[in-house]
Structure formats: C-alpha cells, structure tokens
Amino acid sequence: MFESIRRRLTLGYIGIFALILVVLGAVAVASFARQAASQQDELLEQKARGTSDYVRGPLLNDYQTGRDTGGPPHRGKNGEPIGPFQAATDSDIGVIALVPSDGAGADSTILDSSPSSSSFGLPFEGPAQRAAQEGQTIAETVDGPEGEMLRVVSVPVTGRGGYEAVIQSAQPRRVVWEAVGDLVLILIPVGLGGLLLAGAGGLYMSRRAMEPVRESFQRQRTFIADASHELKTPLALLRINAEVMKRNPTDPENEEIVEDQLSEIDRMDTLLSDLLILARLDAGRLDVENKPFDLATVAADTAGRFLKRAFEEGVRLEVKVPDELPVRGDPGRTGQILAALLDNAVRYTPNGGSVTVSGRFLDERAEVSVEDTGPGIPPKHLPRIFDRFYRVEEARTRKGGGTGLGLSIARDLARAQRGELIAGSSKGGANFTLRLPKNEG
Ligand code: ADP
C-alpha cells in the first residue's frame, strides 16, 4: 500500500515538475524567437543603411545629372557610364529609385531598380512602395523566388530633386527558426535530465515523507492488536465463569464467581473508557479547557483524595506545594493526570515507603512532581514508558497493574494543555513531573 502511494506521489511530483518545465521552456523559446526575429530586422536595417550614403549621394545625384544632361544616368566611381544602379549594391542589397506620389494612396512612380542579381530576388516593389509612402523603414515577410519565406527590410532615403530610393536588404526567415531550433535542442536534454533528477529526488522525498505515516500506521496497528488482546482476556474469563455457573446453577460458590465476573466487567469498563479518551485525544475531539487556575490547589486536593488509601497501604504521602502556582489549562484534566500518577505511585510503592507531591515555578512554567520510593523505572524502560499498553514487567507482576494506558493518557492530556509530562528515576524510586504554562495575567 505504502509503495503504491509513494509511486503515485512521485509520479504526481514529476508530472507537476514536467508541466512547469514545459511552460517555462515555452516562455523561454517564445521570447528567444521574438528577440531573434527583431535582431534579424535590426541587422537587415543596419545592412541597408550601410549603403544609404552612397545611394542618397552619388546614385540619386547621377540620376538627376543624367536627366539634366541627357547623358547616361549612372556613372561609376571614376565617372565612367554604367548600367542602372549597378554600382549600388552587393548581392543582398536591392535599390529602387522612385518619384513619390503626391496623391494620397496612389503608388509612387518607379524610375529604376537594381538588377535582380540577388539570390533572394531583390528588390521587391510592393514593400518599397509602402516604405516610400510611409516615409519610414518597414520590415515584412514575403515569399522569395524559391518559395522560401524571406524577411525584407525596406529603408527609404531621399536625394536631390525629389528623387527617392528605397534600399532593401533580405535574409531567409529560416535563419531565425534555425537559431530557435538550436535552443530547443539544448533545452530538451537539459529538461529530460531535470526530470530524471526530479524523479530520483521525488522518490527520495516521498520515502522520507512516508516514513512517519508508515510508523504511525504501524503504531495504530499495534495499538488495535493490543486493545483487542486486552479486551479478549476478561471476555474469556467471563465466558469460562458463565459456563461453570451453567453447569452447576445452584452451587453455593457461584456467588464468588459472580464477584469475579463483576470485577472483570469493571476492568473492561475502565479499559473501554481509557480507549475512548485516547480515541478522542487522537481525533482532537476531547474538550480541554484553557483557563487560569491554581495548580497548587489541584495538586493538594488530588493528593488529599489518596491519603486514606496510602495510609491503608502503609505508604506515607507528603504534599510540599507552595501557596499558589497560577497556571493556564484545564483543572479537571490536570486532576486526572495527577490522580493517575498518584495511583501508580501508591500502587508500586511498598509498605513503609513514601510518596511526595511537590511543586515549584520554573521560568515560564510551573511544575508539580510526584516522587516515590518504590522500585522505580529501569532506565531502559524510560523511553517507552508513555507508550500505549507498555508495562514494566516486574512492577506489573508485583501487584497486577491497571490497563497500561494510564501514563499515555496522562501525557496526551498534558500536551493537550500545552504542557508536558516527564518521567524519571531518582534515588531508586520513580518520579513524574507535570509542567504547565504559567498564567501571566
Ligand atoms: P498501568 O495501568 O499498568 O499502571 P500505566 O500507563 O499507568 O499503566 O503505567 C505503565 C507502566 O509503568 C506500569 O505498568 C508500570 O510498570 C510502570 N510504572 C508507572 N508508574 C510507576 C511507578 N510509580 N513506579 C514504578 N513503575 C511504574
């Protein structure tokens, strides 16, 4: 069961992590693609502007001069006549000369354009017209001659006599997608590696997270098994007794058997009440007050109730509490805790021994201790003394103790009041200390 929960936890963890990676990856790729595209535009514009001086100056001037003189419109750097715009460009630059239209919406008149020596099919008239009309650089994606998507940047420049030219530079859009593809190729193995690490981490974390659950489940299982066992014993005795009485209904010894049965029923009743308290404590459904009260009074009153029994058992019971020990908590539950401690102390202390109830302040807390001169609790049993149904064997056989739940209920009741119950062994006897928060008000 735990394995499958663990597997599901890990898978869920990996799933969430994968989703986060995919979202982050998509955002990273999208913003990279946008940046790469705008960088491509910038690059193309820079390239086009690189020839703008030449186009604006000599080229458009020549055009004008050519018109003025009726001679060849274009001349090379040494004044020799050359073909239209030949001098203007390298193969990735296109130039179109035009006269801008006056009328709104009408196209400019194209006068000349550089030969389409570019493998990209430059120049493109449509974008050039639009750039001339808007009077500003525009970037567009167009279909190239080989069916490839091209990014074309058109930069308008103005020369003498109202002539205008649009310089175009182009590059396949594929360049951007290739850069994006390279990024994705890096991100995929990194992401997969991250997922592998997340899986290993998830398995480790889920094992750690499941450990307390597994332990508490195991404790609960043991508790149920112990409780069933504790209830089965008195039930078996009741059954045997009932069978004996059935066989000899008129036997005068039956009265003794009935006495026996009544005490077994009482024992079961006590056990069931203890189990009920524990179940309520576990579920956090036991009413526990949190109000100011005097711990000294509760300790003295509870000890008072044990005076007679202690006297009968030959145990001296001493109470050494200060006049006042103001604390916060539940006086009734505190009385219950001290009664459980005193019950044990008187029960396990042999004739002639003594039990001392003392109280004092301790920093933010007040405490009451119940010490006895009995057999004490051997150190190896101390860590488990508050476990449910835990009994120290010798002490139990000596006088046949109670349900084995008294101390664990007492400890849980102390915790429910934000206090604590500590067990120790001193001078050969046992000592238990209940600490509760001091009432500052
Ligand atoms: P029980 O009902 O058996 O007394 P508790 O939870 O009250 O159950 O105590 C658990 C065990 O702790 C007892 O069985 C006993 O072995 C040991 N114990 C508790 N108090 C004392 C004490 N004052 N002196 C010696 N042993 C004690």
Side-chain angles (χ1 to χ4, degrees), residues 274 340-341 343-349 370 372 374-378 385-387 389-396 400-409 429-432:
D274 283 356
L341 299 180
D343 179 56
N344 280 343
V346 173
R347 179 184 306 160
Y348 296 117
T349 304
V370 178
D372 63 54
I377 298 159
I385 202 69
F386 292 108
D387 286 2
F389 294 115
Y390 193 79
R391 294 181 178 108
V392 180
E393 214 45 51
E394 308 101 89
R396 183 161 79 118
T403 58
L405 293 175
L407 284 181
S408 65
I409 293 177
N431 71 63
F432 288 88

mmCIF file of all heavy atoms in Angstrom, residues 274 340-341 343-349 370 372 374-378 385-387 389-396 400-409 429-432, ligand 1:
data_model
loop_
_atom_site.group_PDB
_atom_site.id
_atom_site.type_symbol
_atom_site.label_atom_id
_atom_site.label_comp_id
_atom_site.label_asym_id
_atom_site.label_seq_id
_atom_site.Cartn_x
_atom_site.Cartn_y
_atom_site.Cartn_z
ATOM 1 N N ASP A 274 -10.844 4.261 28.887
ATOM 2 C CA ASP A 274 -9.498 4.748 28.528
ATOM 3 C C ASP A 274 -9.337 4.802 27.014
ATOM 4 O O ASP A 274 -8.789 5.766 26.464
ATOM 5 C CB ASP A 274 -8.422 3.820 29.113
ATOM 6 C CG ASP A 274 -8.234 4.070 30.604
ATOM 7 O OD1 ASP A 274 -8.893 4.998 31.119
ATOM 8 O OD2 ASP A 274 -7.461 3.340 31.251
ATOM 9 N N ALA A 340 -3.679 9.803 38.139
ATOM 10 C CA ALA A 340 -3.048 8.638 37.505
ATOM 11 C C ALA A 340 -1.641 8.440 38.065
ATOM 12 O O ALA A 340 -1.225 7.306 38.364
ATOM 13 C CB ALA A 340 -2.989 8.829 35.995
ATOM 14 N N LEU A 341 -0.908 9.562 38.252
ATOM 15 C CA LEU A 341 0.467 9.463 38.769
ATOM 16 C C LEU A 341 0.462 8.968 40.221
ATOM 17 O O LEU A 341 1.260 8.110 40.599
ATOM 18 C CB LEU A 341 1.163 10.830 38.695
ATOM 19 C CG LEU A 341 1.321 11.441 37.296
ATOM 20 C CD1 LEU A 341 2.033 12.793 37.378
ATOM 21 C CD2 LEU A 341 2.112 10.491 36.382
ATOM 22 N N ASP A 343 -1.945 7.275 41.704
ATOM 23 C CA ASP A 343 -2.446 5.901 41.734
ATOM 24 C C ASP A 343 -1.273 4.935 41.524
ATOM 25 O O ASP A 343 -1.111 3.971 42.272
ATOM 26 C CB ASP A 343 -3.492 5.736 40.628
ATOM 27 C CG ASP A 343 -4.047 4.329 40.577
ATOM 28 O OD1 ASP A 343 -4.555 3.879 41.622
ATOM 29 O OD2 ASP A 343 -3.941 3.688 39.518
ATOM 30 N N ASN A 344 -0.447 5.220 40.504
ATOM 31 C CA ASN A 344 0.728 4.375 40.243
ATOM 32 C C ASN A 344 1.693 4.411 41.416
ATOM 33 O O ASN A 344 2.182 3.379 41.865
ATOM 34 C CB ASN A 344 1.468 4.855 38.988
ATOM 35 C CG ASN A 344 0.787 4.371 37.721
ATOM 36 O OD1 ASN A 344 -0.028 3.449 37.768
ATOM 37 N ND2 ASN A 344 1.109 4.999 36.614
ATOM 38 N N ALA A 345 1.982 5.663 41.910
ATOM 39 C CA ALA A 345 2.980 5.816 42.963
ATOM 40 C C ALA A 345 2.580 5.010 44.200
ATOM 41 O O ALA A 345 3.383 4.257 44.763
ATOM 42 C CB ALA A 345 3.155 7.287 43.299
ATOM 43 N N VAL A 346 1.306 5.149 44.591
ATOM 44 C CA VAL A 346 0.860 4.431 45.792
ATOM 45 C C VAL A 346 0.851 2.921 45.520
ATOM 46 O O VAL A 346 1.251 2.118 46.370
ATOM 47 C CB VAL A 346 -0.543 4.922 46.228
ATOM 48 C CG1 VAL A 346 -1.094 4.078 47.364
ATOM 49 C CG2 VAL A 346 -0.480 6.383 46.633
ATOM 50 N N ARG A 347 0.448 2.555 44.301
ATOM 51 C CA ARG A 347 0.364 1.126 43.987
ATOM 52 C C ARG A 347 1.736 0.450 43.973
ATOM 53 O O ARG A 347 1.913 -0.638 44.486
ATOM 54 C CB ARG A 347 -0.301 0.936 42.616
ATOM 55 C CG ARG A 347 -0.391 -0.531 42.237
ATOM 56 C CD ARG A 347 -0.956 -0.727 40.860
ATOM 57 N NE ARG A 347 -2.246 -0.043 40.729
ATOM 58 C CZ ARG A 347 -2.784 0.294 39.563
ATOM 59 N NH1 ARG A 347 -2.137 0.022 38.451
ATOM 60 N NH2 ARG A 347 -3.950 0.889 39.513
ATOM 61 N N TYR A 348 2.715 1.151 43.358
ATOM 62 C CA TYR A 348 4.017 0.481 43.203
ATOM 63 C C TYR A 348 4.981 0.701 44.375
ATOM 64 O O TYR A 348 6.063 0.126 44.401
ATOM 65 C CB TYR A 348 4.673 0.934 41.892
ATOM 66 C CG TYR A 348 3.861 0.516 40.675
ATOM 67 C CD1 TYR A 348 3.292 1.451 39.816
ATOM 68 C CD2 TYR A 348 3.644 -0.841 40.417
ATOM 69 C CE1 TYR A 348 2.540 1.060 38.726
ATOM 70 C CE2 TYR A 348 2.886 -1.243 39.327
ATOM 71 C CZ TYR A 348 2.333 -0.283 38.485
ATOM 72 O OH TYR A 348 1.583 -0.673 37.416
ATOM 73 N N THR A 349 4.584 1.567 45.328
ATOM 74 C CA THR A 349 5.485 1.798 46.474
ATOM 75 C C THR A 349 5.178 0.782 47.582
ATOM 76 O O THR A 349 4.025 0.639 47.993
ATOM 77 C CB THR A 349 5.309 3.233 47.016
ATOM 78 O OG1 THR A 349 5.541 4.126 45.931
ATOM 79 C CG2 THR A 349 6.289 3.530 48.132
ATOM 80 N N VAL A 370 5.582 14.093 41.245
ATOM 81 C CA VAL A 370 5.138 13.018 42.134
ATOM 82 C C VAL A 370 6.296 12.022 42.203
ATOM 83 O O VAL A 370 6.650 11.408 41.196
ATOM 84 C CB VAL A 370 3.862 12.335 41.588
ATOM 85 C CG1 VAL A 370 3.441 11.185 42.498
ATOM 86 C CG2 VAL A 370 2.733 13.339 41.448
ATOM 87 N N ASP A 372 8.268 8.767 44.324
ATOM 88 C CA ASP A 372 8.025 7.692 45.292
ATOM 89 C C ASP A 372 9.311 6.947 45.586
ATOM 90 O O ASP A 372 10.329 7.152 44.932
ATOM 91 C CB ASP A 372 6.922 6.758 44.785
ATOM 92 C CG ASP A 372 7.308 6.049 43.514
ATOM 93 O OD1 ASP A 372 8.374 5.410 43.485
ATOM 94 O OD2 ASP A 372 6.543 6.148 42.517
ATOM 95 N N GLY A 374 9.448 3.655 45.534
ATOM 96 C CA GLY A 374 9.193 2.286 45.059
ATOM 97 C C GLY A 374 10.348 1.748 44.233
ATOM 98 O O GLY A 374 11.464 2.268 44.292
ATOM 99 N N PRO A 375 10.079 0.736 43.418
ATOM 100 C CA PRO A 375 11.157 0.087 42.640
ATOM 101 C C PRO A 375 11.725 0.986 41.532
ATOM 102 O O PRO A 375 12.790 0.703 40.995
ATOM 103 C CB PRO A 375 10.469 -1.128 42.029
ATOM 104 C CG PRO A 375 9.028 -0.776 41.988
ATOM 105 C CD PRO A 375 8.769 0.114 43.156
ATOM 106 N N GLY A 376 10.996 2.056 41.192
ATOM 107 C CA GLY A 376 11.468 2.945 40.118
ATOM 108 C C GLY A 376 11.282 2.309 38.749
ATOM 109 O O GLY A 376 10.759 1.183 38.628
ATOM 110 N N ILE A 377 11.693 3.048 37.752
ATOM 111 C CA ILE A 377 11.572 2.530 36.384
ATOM 112 C C ILE A 377 12.979 2.369 35.818
ATOM 113 O O ILE A 377 13.711 3.351 35.724
ATOM 114 C CB ILE A 377 10.731 3.489 35.519
ATOM 115 C CG1 ILE A 377 9.330 3.586 36.108
ATOM 116 C CG2 ILE A 377 10.679 3.038 34.076
ATOM 117 C CD1 ILE A 377 8.575 4.810 35.713
ATOM 118 N N PRO A 378 13.376 1.160 35.461
ATOM 119 C CA PRO A 378 14.735 0.970 34.932
ATOM 120 C C PRO A 378 14.966 1.854 33.709
ATOM 121 O O PRO A 378 14.066 1.998 32.872
ATOM 122 C CB PRO A 378 14.757 -0.517 34.539
ATOM 123 C CG PRO A 378 13.634 -1.131 35.294
ATOM 124 C CD PRO A 378 12.601 -0.070 35.510
ATOM 125 N N ILE A 385 8.033 4.383 28.383
ATOM 126 C CA ILE A 385 7.082 4.269 29.495
ATOM 127 C C ILE A 385 5.715 4.894 29.163
ATOM 128 O O ILE A 385 4.698 4.494 29.710
ATOM 129 C CB ILE A 385 7.699 4.860 30.791
ATOM 130 C CG1 ILE A 385 6.999 4.291 32.025
ATOM 131 C CG2 ILE A 385 7.641 6.366 30.827
ATOM 132 C CD1 ILE A 385 7.276 2.855 32.260
ATOM 133 N N PHE A 386 5.714 5.878 28.212
ATOM 134 C CA PHE A 386 4.432 6.522 27.867
ATOM 135 C C PHE A 386 3.737 5.830 26.691
ATOM 136 O O PHE A 386 2.686 6.274 26.245
ATOM 137 C CB PHE A 386 4.654 8.002 27.532
ATOM 138 C CG PHE A 386 5.075 8.823 28.729
ATOM 139 C CD1 PHE A 386 6.366 9.304 28.849
ATOM 140 C CD2 PHE A 386 4.178 9.089 29.753
ATOM 141 C CE1 PHE A 386 6.754 10.049 29.946
ATOM 142 C CE2 PHE A 386 4.550 9.835 30.856
ATOM 143 C CZ PHE A 386 5.852 10.310 30.958
ATOM 144 N N ASP A 387 4.341 4.767 26.164
ATOM 145 C CA ASP A 387 3.699 4.049 25.050
ATOM 146 C C ASP A 387 2.426 3.360 25.536
ATOM 147 O O ASP A 387 2.335 2.911 26.680
ATOM 148 C CB ASP A 387 4.643 2.975 24.478
ATOM 149 C CG ASP A 387 5.755 3.600 23.662
ATOM 150 O OD1 ASP A 387 5.796 4.849 23.597
ATOM 151 O OD2 ASP A 387 6.575 2.841 23.118
ATOM 152 N N PHE A 389 -0.164 0.709 26.395
ATOM 153 C CA PHE A 389 -0.112 -0.679 26.867
ATOM 154 C C PHE A 389 1.289 -1.124 27.295
ATOM 155 O O PHE A 389 1.535 -2.301 27.471
ATOM 156 C CB PHE A 389 -0.641 -1.669 25.803
ATOM 157 C CG PHE A 389 -2.102 -1.498 25.518
ATOM 158 C CD1 PHE A 389 -2.535 -1.081 24.275
ATOM 159 C CD2 PHE A 389 -3.054 -1.745 26.498
ATOM 160 C CE1 PHE A 389 -3.881 -0.900 24.002
ATOM 161 C CE2 PHE A 389 -4.407 -1.577 26.232
ATOM 162 C CZ PHE A 389 -4.823 -1.153 24.979
ATOM 163 N N TYR A 390 2.191 -0.155 27.418
ATOM 164 C CA TYR A 390 3.541 -0.551 27.822
ATOM 165 C C TYR A 390 3.588 -0.731 29.328
ATOM 166 O O TYR A 390 3.117 0.111 30.088
ATOM 167 C CB TYR A 390 4.561 0.506 27.387
ATOM 168 C CG TYR A 390 5.981 0.019 27.501
ATOM 169 C CD1 TYR A 390 6.526 -0.807 26.533
ATOM 170 C CD2 TYR A 390 6.760 0.360 28.603
ATOM 171 C CE1 TYR A 390 7.821 -1.289 26.646
ATOM 172 C CE2 TYR A 390 8.059 -0.112 28.725
ATOM 173 C CZ TYR A 390 8.584 -0.928 27.746
ATOM 174 O OH TYR A 390 9.870 -1.400 27.867
ATOM 175 N N ARG A 391 4.131 -1.866 29.752
ATOM 176 C CA ARG A 391 4.258 -2.109 31.200
ATOM 177 C C ARG A 391 5.653 -2.621 31.505
ATOM 178 O O ARG A 391 6.226 -3.382 30.730
ATOM 179 C CB ARG A 391 3.249 -3.176 31.650
ATOM 180 C CG ARG A 391 1.801 -2.750 31.522
ATOM 181 C CD ARG A 391 0.928 -3.867 32.028
ATOM 182 N NE ARG A 391 -0.475 -3.532 31.980
ATOM 183 C CZ ARG A 391 -1.314 -4.058 31.105
ATOM 184 N NH1 ARG A 391 -0.873 -4.901 30.194
ATOM 185 N NH2 ARG A 391 -2.582 -3.730 31.138
ATOM 186 N N VAL A 392 6.171 -2.178 32.632
ATOM 187 C CA VAL A 392 7.457 -2.731 33.076
ATOM 188 C C VAL A 392 7.119 -4.028 33.795
ATOM 189 O O VAL A 392 6.366 -4.021 34.766
ATOM 190 C CB VAL A 392 8.178 -1.754 34.028
ATOM 191 C CG1 VAL A 392 9.500 -2.330 34.485
ATOM 192 C CG2 VAL A 392 8.368 -0.410 33.350
ATOM 193 N N GLU A 393 7.662 -5.112 33.285
ATOM 194 C CA GLU A 393 7.176 -6.442 33.699
ATOM 195 C C GLU A 393 7.162 -6.684 35.214
ATOM 196 O O GLU A 393 6.124 -7.005 35.778
ATOM 197 C CB GLU A 393 8.005 -7.524 32.988
ATOM 198 C CG GLU A 393 7.227 -8.768 32.630
ATOM 199 C CD GLU A 393 5.854 -8.484 32.015
ATOM 200 O OE1 GLU A 393 5.707 -7.712 31.052
ATOM 201 O OE2 GLU A 393 4.885 -9.064 32.540
ATOM 202 N N GLU A 394 8.320 -6.441 35.897
ATOM 203 C CA GLU A 394 8.365 -6.794 37.326
ATOM 204 C C GLU A 394 7.297 -6.050 38.115
ATOM 205 O O GLU A 394 6.619 -6.621 38.959
ATOM 206 C CB GLU A 394 9.727 -6.460 37.958
ATOM 207 C CG GLU A 394 10.912 -7.004 37.226
ATOM 208 C CD GLU A 394 11.568 -5.928 36.389
ATOM 209 O OE1 GLU A 394 12.437 -5.255 36.920
ATOM 210 O OE2 GLU A 394 11.179 -5.772 35.215
ATOM 211 N N ALA A 395 7.155 -4.750 37.807
ATOM 212 C CA ALA A 395 6.200 -3.943 38.557
ATOM 213 C C ALA A 395 4.792 -4.488 38.371
ATOM 214 O O ALA A 395 3.982 -4.526 39.295
ATOM 215 C CB ALA A 395 6.270 -2.500 38.101
ATOM 216 N N ARG A 396 4.509 -4.943 37.155
ATOM 217 C CA ARG A 396 3.160 -5.432 36.856
ATOM 218 C C ARG A 396 2.868 -6.707 37.654
ATOM 219 O O ARG A 396 1.812 -6.843 38.259
ATOM 220 C CB ARG A 396 3.030 -5.724 35.368
ATOM 221 C CG ARG A 396 1.630 -6.154 35.006
ATOM 222 C CD ARG A 396 1.399 -6.000 33.546
ATOM 223 N NE ARG A 396 1.983 -7.091 32.798
ATOM 224 C CZ ARG A 396 1.258 -7.926 32.061
ATOM 225 N NH1 ARG A 396 -0.038 -7.787 32.010
ATOM 226 N NH2 ARG A 396 1.838 -8.874 31.376
ATOM 227 N N GLY A 400 -0.147 -6.544 39.908
ATOM 228 C CA GLY A 400 -1.162 -6.622 38.844
ATOM 229 C C GLY A 400 -1.713 -5.246 38.546
ATOM 230 O O GLY A 400 -2.730 -4.850 39.125
ATOM 231 N N GLY A 401 -0.996 -4.495 37.687
ATOM 232 C CA GLY A 401 -1.343 -3.087 37.460
ATOM 233 C C GLY A 401 -2.672 -2.874 36.757
ATOM 234 O O GLY A 401 -3.539 -3.741 36.725
ATOM 235 N N GLY A 402 -2.811 -1.647 36.192
ATOM 236 C CA GLY A 402 -4.092 -1.304 35.566
ATOM 237 C C GLY A 402 -4.122 -1.674 34.103
ATOM 238 O O GLY A 402 -3.632 -2.730 33.700
ATOM 239 N N THR A 403 -4.635 -0.740 33.275
ATOM 240 C CA THR A 403 -4.831 -1.058 31.859
ATOM 241 C C THR A 403 -3.562 -0.887 31.038
ATOM 242 O O THR A 403 -3.485 -1.353 29.909
ATOM 243 C CB THR A 403 -5.891 -0.116 31.262
ATOM 244 O OG1 THR A 403 -5.430 1.227 31.452
ATOM 245 C CG2 THR A 403 -7.226 -0.282 31.927
ATOM 246 N N GLY A 404 -2.588 -0.185 31.593
ATOM 247 C CA GLY A 404 -1.371 0.069 30.808
ATOM 248 C C GLY A 404 -1.535 1.284 29.914
ATOM 249 O O GLY A 404 -0.709 1.563 29.063
ATOM 250 N N LEU A 405 -2.659 2.004 30.115
ATOM 251 C CA LEU A 405 -2.908 3.194 29.289
ATOM 252 C C LEU A 405 -2.798 4.484 30.098
ATOM 253 O O LEU A 405 -2.778 5.575 29.547
ATOM 254 C CB LEU A 405 -4.310 3.129 28.667
ATOM 255 C CG LEU A 405 -4.531 2.031 27.632
ATOM 256 C CD1 LEU A 405 -5.990 2.004 27.193
ATOM 257 C CD2 LEU A 405 -3.646 2.264 26.418
ATOM 258 N N GLY A 406 -2.742 4.308 31.451
ATOM 259 C CA GLY A 406 -2.783 5.477 32.337
ATOM 260 C C GLY A 406 -1.768 6.540 31.975
ATOM 261 O O GLY A 406 -2.108 7.722 31.816
ATOM 262 N N LEU A 407 -0.499 6.144 31.829
ATOM 263 C CA LEU A 407 0.551 7.145 31.588
ATOM 264 C C LEU A 407 0.430 7.781 30.212
ATOM 265 O O LEU A 407 0.683 8.973 30.054
ATOM 266 C CB LEU A 407 1.934 6.506 31.744
ATOM 267 C CG LEU A 407 2.391 6.260 33.179
ATOM 268 C CD1 LEU A 407 3.784 5.655 33.202
ATOM 269 C CD2 LEU A 407 2.369 7.548 33.993
ATOM 270 N N SER A 408 0.041 6.977 29.201
ATOM 271 C CA SER A 408 -0.037 7.594 27.861
ATOM 272 C C SER A 408 -1.204 8.574 27.801
ATOM 273 O O SER A 408 -1.098 9.625 27.162
ATOM 274 C CB SER A 408 -0.109 6.540 26.752
ATOM 275 O OG SER A 408 -1.273 5.821 26.850
ATOM 276 N N ILE A 409 -2.314 8.268 28.501
ATOM 277 C CA ILE A 409 -3.414 9.245 28.548
ATOM 278 C C ILE A 409 -2.952 10.505 29.278
ATOM 279 O O ILE A 409 -3.179 11.628 28.827
ATOM 280 C CB ILE A 409 -4.653 8.644 29.262
ATOM 281 C CG1 ILE A 409 -5.235 7.520 28.412
ATOM 282 C CG2 ILE A 409 -5.690 9.714 29.542
ATOM 283 C CD1 ILE A 409 -6.412 6.815 29.045
ATOM 284 N N GLY A 429 13.617 5.398 43.336
ATOM 285 C CA GLY A 429 12.168 5.424 43.086
ATOM 286 C C GLY A 429 11.845 6.085 41.754
ATOM 287 O O GLY A 429 12.736 6.516 41.034
ATOM 288 N N ALA A 430 10.535 6.125 41.444
ATOM 289 C CA ALA A 430 10.130 6.776 40.188
ATOM 290 C C ALA A 430 9.750 8.215 40.477
ATOM 291 O O ALA A 430 9.318 8.530 41.585
ATOM 292 C CB ALA A 430 8.946 6.041 39.589
ATOM 293 N N ASN A 431 9.925 9.088 39.493
ATOM 294 C CA ASN A 431 9.368 10.433 39.648
ATOM 295 C C ASN A 431 8.813 10.923 38.321
ATOM 296 O O ASN A 431 9.400 10.703 37.261
ATOM 297 C CB ASN A 431 10.369 11.405 40.273
ATOM 298 C CG ASN A 431 11.492 11.766 39.326
ATOM 299 O OD1 ASN A 431 11.252 12.366 38.277
ATOM 300 N ND2 ASN A 431 12.699 11.379 39.689
ATOM 301 N N PHE A 432 7.643 11.542 38.422
ATOM 302 C CA PHE A 432 6.971 12.087 37.239
ATOM 303 C C PHE A 432 6.746 13.572 37.474
ATOM 304 O O PHE A 432 6.359 13.966 38.575
ATOM 305 C CB PHE A 432 5.629 11.381 37.010
ATOM 306 C CG PHE A 432 5.789 9.969 36.520
ATOM 307 C CD1 PHE A 432 5.918 8.923 37.430
ATOM 308 C CD2 PHE A 432 5.831 9.689 35.167
ATOM 309 C CE1 PHE A 432 6.082 7.625 36.981
ATOM 310 C CE2 PHE A 432 5.999 8.394 34.716
ATOM 311 C CZ PHE A 432 6.120 7.350 35.611
HETATM 312 P P1 ADP B 1 -0.740 0.703 34.457
HETATM 313 O O1 ADP B 1 -2.177 0.807 34.270
HETATM 314 O O2 ADP B 1 -0.173 -0.625 34.115
HETATM 315 O O3 ADP B 1 -0.247 1.270 35.723
HETATM 316 P P2 ADP B 1 0.443 2.985 33.342
HETATM 317 O O4 ADP B 1 0.429 3.529 31.956
HETATM 318 O O5 ADP B 1 -0.096 3.859 34.402
HETATM 319 O O6 ADP B 1 -0.253 1.599 33.280
HETATM 320 O O7 ADP B 1 1.917 2.631 33.670
HETATM 321 C C1 ADP B 1 2.691 1.877 32.776
HETATM 322 C C2 ADP B 1 3.757 1.103 33.468
HETATM 323 O O8 ADP B 1 4.701 1.988 34.026
HETATM 324 C C3 ADP B 1 3.226 0.312 34.624
HETATM 325 O O9 ADP B 1 2.791 -0.918 34.206
HETATM 326 C C4 ADP B 1 4.442 0.199 35.489
HETATM 327 O O10 ADP B 1 5.228 -0.890 35.052
HETATM 328 C C5 ADP B 1 5.233 1.447 35.210
HETATM 329 N N1 ADP B 1 5.045 2.469 36.283
HETATM 330 C C6 ADP B 1 4.218 3.517 36.268
HETATM 331 N N2 ADP B 1 4.331 4.261 37.385
HETATM 332 C C7 ADP B 1 5.269 3.650 38.150
HETATM 333 C C8 ADP B 1 5.843 3.919 39.434
HETATM 334 N N3 ADP B 1 5.468 4.978 40.143
HETATM 335 N N4 ADP B 1 6.782 3.058 39.864
HETATM 336 C C9 ADP B 1 7.168 2.006 39.145
HETATM 337 N N5 ADP B 1 6.675 1.696 37.927
HETATM 338 C C10 ADP B 1 5.729 2.498 37.425
#
